[in-house]
Amino acid sequence: MSIPNRKIALGLSAFTLLPVGTLVTFFPASLYALNGLVLDPSAAMMSEIRAPGVFILLAGILALCGLFRQALERPALLASAGLLLSYGIGRLISLPLDGLPPVSLLVAMGIEVCLGTWCAVLYADRVKLSGQFA
């Protein structure tokens, strides 16, 4: 697939991951409240919430860097695919186990699965073209 497709996918990944990572890391109560969740403000709970937030934020930074540095394009696609698909698949697993979440989380699941799959396909295509893994 063409370079513009990779750039669009990485741009959408950065556009998705950067704000979510920032909100989870620095404003978790506000983000979770959008889905009707009230967080326990204990240090343990906030530590458990913020830790993956930083991971999401760093993946967003890598996706953004992959837009501008060709050497980072493949790792950025792989990180975006892995992170987005892990969240999306986790939400899919939750459906039969826990029931339907709010619509906002169903939309998030759709975005994660679609964008993550697109990044995975673009990564696989990029690997096939280069003949190298990672």
Side-chain angles (χ1 to χ4, degrees):
M1 293 187 197
S2 67
I3 290 174
N5 282 337
R6 293 192 298 264
K7 298 300 182 189
I8 292 168
L10 287 174
L12 289 173
S13 293
F15 182 74
T16 302
L17 298 172
L18 287 170
V20 171
T22 299
L23 288 170
V24 172
T25 302
F26 298 107
F27 310 101
S30 298
L31 177 65
Y32 282 80
L34 294 173
N35 295 312
L37 298 171
V38 178
L39 297 180
D40 170 8
S42 71
M45 171 65 85
M46 298 314 290
S47 176
E48 287 296 311
I49 295 294
R50 292 180 201 276
V54 173
F55 183 64
I56 296 167
L57 185 57
L58 290 175
I61 291 169
L62 181 58
L64 187 63
C65 291
L67 280 170
F68 301 106
R69 299 247 344 189
Q70 188 172 3
L72 294 175
E73 190 176 81
R74 281 191 297 170
L77 286 168
L78 181 60
S80 294
L83 182 63
L84 291 163
L85 285 172
S86 67
Y87 269 84
I89 291 168
R91 293 185 203 280
L92 283 169
I93 291 169
S94 177
L95 288 175
L97 297 176
D98 307 313
L100 281 176
V103 172
S104 58
L105 292 177
L106 292 172
V107 170
M109 179 183 64
I111 291 169
E112 291 157 353
V113 169
C114 291
L115 185 54
T117 300
W118 190 24
C119 287
V121 168
L122 292 170
Y123 174 78
D125 187 58
R126 183 87 166 92
V127 168
K128 186 171 60 175
L129 290 174
S130 70
Q132 297 177 348
F133 183 73

